[in-house]
Amino acid sequence: MKTFIIIGAINAFLAVALGAFGAHGLKERLDPYYLDIWKTGVQYQMFHAAGLLVIGILLGKVDASSFFTWSGWLFLIGIIFFSGSLYILSLTKIGVLGAITPIGGVCFLAGWVLMIIGTIKDL
């Protein structure tokens, strides 16, 4: 429980910091196209940071749930692959990194499905 709340809070903090950095530090350095990609990474990081916080709270309500636990880890992996690849793509403009982004998206989707299943089975 505590682990996912901490990981969620760290990712929320990083999303705010990276959003501010994009809005102020990168505004003059990146084309609007790449700045928009940066913003997408920040948005999805924050959405899934909130998801991690929810997972931490849900794990406090049930004894043990592999569905919720796996959901949390998939959210974290999704943040790393999805948002991370978008941040690097924005800064380097290396287009092949866009091929990594969908891996993170699939992790996000799987995490949400596991949260639904965990809610049905464990709550």
Side-chain angles (χ1 to χ4, degrees), residues 18-79:
L18 291 167
F21 177 65
H24 301 289
L26 296 177
K27 187 176 183 180
E28 302 299 322
R29 297 175 188 253
L30 292 181
D31 298 337
Y33 174 76
Y34 288 105
L35 193 57
D36 194 47
I37 290 172
W38 183 275
K39 289 177 185 178
T40 300
V42 169
Q43 279 185 318
Y44 277 77
Q45 183 170 358
M46 183 58 85
F47 294 152
H48 291 87
L52 284 161
L53 295 171
V54 170
I55 290 295
I57 293 166
L58 289 171
L59 283 169
K61 294 187 173 285
V62 296
D63 289 333
S65 171
S66 61
F67 293 110
F68 292 143
T69 301
W70 274 105
S71 177
W73 291 123
L74 286 168
F75 286 168
L76 178 60
I77 293 165
I79 289 169

